[in-house]
Amino acid sequence: MIDVDTGGDDRLALAVLTQYRMATTEQMHRVIAPEVRSEQTRRRLAKLRDEGLIDRITLPRSGRLRVWFPTSYGVHIASEWPELRGRRPPKSVSDPTAARLRMGHTLTVTETALVFLEEARRRGELCRPLDWIPEVQHSLGSGEAVIPDALLYYVRGGENGSLLRAFVEVDRATMGPERLAAKITAYARLYSYVPTSPGQPRPAFGQEPAREAWRRYYPIFPRLLFVLDGTGPVGVHTRIRALHAAAKDPALTLFLQTVPVLAAALADLRTQGPSEPVWHPVRDPDRAVAWHWRAYE
């Protein structure tokens, strides 16, 4: 019988690794139990590994850094829980080779999650570990899709405050600035995408027209946040300018007037916090705002 505390931190640790895909020991400690000694987190992870639910990669050239990921058995167990239903990760999440090859990007996405989790704790606001959901697929039809690095839920002002949703794109400077900027166009397509079926007739007079697909999931289209890492201040500036150039496309006007699209350096988010004016609207990159800024302000 598996010795897992199903009502406590064992369950949370497995759920986080299944949803986040991967995390270092230090990141796991900061996500699930920052109030206790780190040794307790290390023991918890070792126990889950002994039970076959998670595994690790050790990087000898990085001070023997341990990077954890769920096994296929752990994914099977966690995916049955209500809090993870419908969020089953791809099969490759449990493959050590695949884990090693995607490690840099995935750990940076996890670090970005921690920026918001730790901000909420400092400010007495609400953002739980499972409110960060990586790789939620949004269809554009014809086999195309928009897959943000993460979908974030964050409640400002505590339990009864205002709920903010955001699509988060984490860029480690592994693609050219133009390819990064092209992602704005993809989200604009998602904003206007109305699914149709072959041979589907037009709505009759008085009949409500078909609605955009995203409205099935969100009452308001989530804001779009670009988090930039893997380069210095000059590189960050270049990438923000590329996003600004893309935002000049007249076809994006309605989208950008409605949806806040912001960019910030991960280094600034770590040192100052996402609620500080460290974000640059892509239409007005010389301006600095907090991430809850609205497009029409």
Side-chain angles (χ1 to χ4, degrees):
M1 182 176 179
I2 296 176
D3 179 24
V4 175
D5 174 13
T6 56
D9 287 341
D10 283 6
R11 179 179 178 125
L12 178 60
L14 179 56
V16 165
L17 274 179
T18 300
Q19 185 155 296
Y20 286 36
R21 318 301 203 231
M22 187 184 302
T24 66
T25 305
E26 186 239 358
Q27 286 176 331
M28 285 297 294
H29 179 66
R30 291 161 61 198
V31 172
I32 66 172
E35 71 286 352
V36 304
R37 292 185 300 110
S38 58
E39 180 59 31
Q40 291 182 237
T41 299
R42 287 194 288 271
R43 285 200 301 265
R44 187 177 307 281
L45 294 171
K47 182 176 75 165
L48 293 175
R49 183 175 186 242
D50 289 343
E51 293 165 338
L53 295 166
I54 67 175
D55 205 348
R56 73 186 185 208
I57 301 169
T58 302
L59 304 182
R61 295 184 181 180
S62 302
R64 296 193 61 78
L65 181 72
R66 290 178 175 177
V67 179
W68 301 87
F69 58 94
T71 64
S72 57
Y73 179 48
V75 169
H76 174 75
I77 294 293
S79 296
E80 298 297 318
W81 295 339
E83 60 267 38
L84 293 187
R85 198 158 292 153
R87 300 182 189 174
R88 192 180 186 94
K91 292 181 180 180
S92 61
V93 73
S94 302
D95 181 85
T97 300
R100 179 177 58 80
L101 293 175
R102 68 172 185 272
M103 185 182 304
H105 181 76
T106 306
L107 292 180
T108 304
V109 173
T110 299
E111 191 65 27
T112 304
L114 276 157
V115 164
F116 290 96
L117 290 172
E118 293 175 340
E119 178 82 345
R121 290 166 185 162
R122 282 193 301 268
R123 296 172 62 89
E125 297 181 325
L126 193 61
C127 183
R128 301 183 181 93
L130 298 182
D131 290 333
W132 178 268
I133 312 171
E135 299 179 4
V136 179
Q137 180 166 315
H138 297 78
S139 174
L140 292 173
S142 302
E144 296 185 82
V146 171
I147 307 175
D149 286 316
L151 169 65
L152 168 67
Y153 290 90
Y154 189 109
V155 179
R156 292 185 64 216
E159 208 56 66
N160 298 314
S162 56
L163 173 61
L164 298 176
R165 302 171 187 83
F167 293 131
V168 183
E169 288 285 346
V170 177
D171 172 62
R172 299 176 56 244
T174 54
M175 65 176 70
E178 294 77 14
R179 282 186 59 199
L180 172 68
K183 293 192 174 190
I184 299 178
T185 302
Y187 282 94
R189 288 179 60 199
L190 176 62
Y191 180 76
S192 60
Y193 170 64
V194 177
T196 58
S197 301
Q200 179 179 343
R202 292 184 177 182
F205 179 76
Q207 183 180 0
E208 188 169 333
R211 307 180 74 202
E212 295 87 351
W214 62 264
R215 295 185 187 275
R216 295 176 54 195
Y217 309 103
Y218 316 110
I220 300 172
F221 195 88
R223 64 200 58 229
L224 175 55
L225 306 177
F226 287 92
V227 176
L228 309 176
D229 194 38
T231 184
V234 173
V236 168
H237 177 79
T238 298
R239 302 178 96 70
I240 291 176
R241 287 293 162 184
L243 291 168
H244 174 59
K248 294 180 180 179
D249 185 344
L252 300 177
T253 300
L254 176 60
F255 174 68
L256 293 171
Q257 284 177 342
T258 309
V259 178
V261 181
L262 312 170
L266 179 57
D268 292 337
L269 299 180
R270 282 171 168 157
T271 57
Q272 301 182 52
S275 296
E276 297 301 316
V278 295
W279 298 91
H280 300 275
V282 298
R283 298 181 74 196
D284 186 9
D286 295 325
R287 185 179 182 185
V289 300
W291 78 281
H292 44 77
W293 171 86
R294 298 186 183 278
Y296 52 75
E297 289 181 354

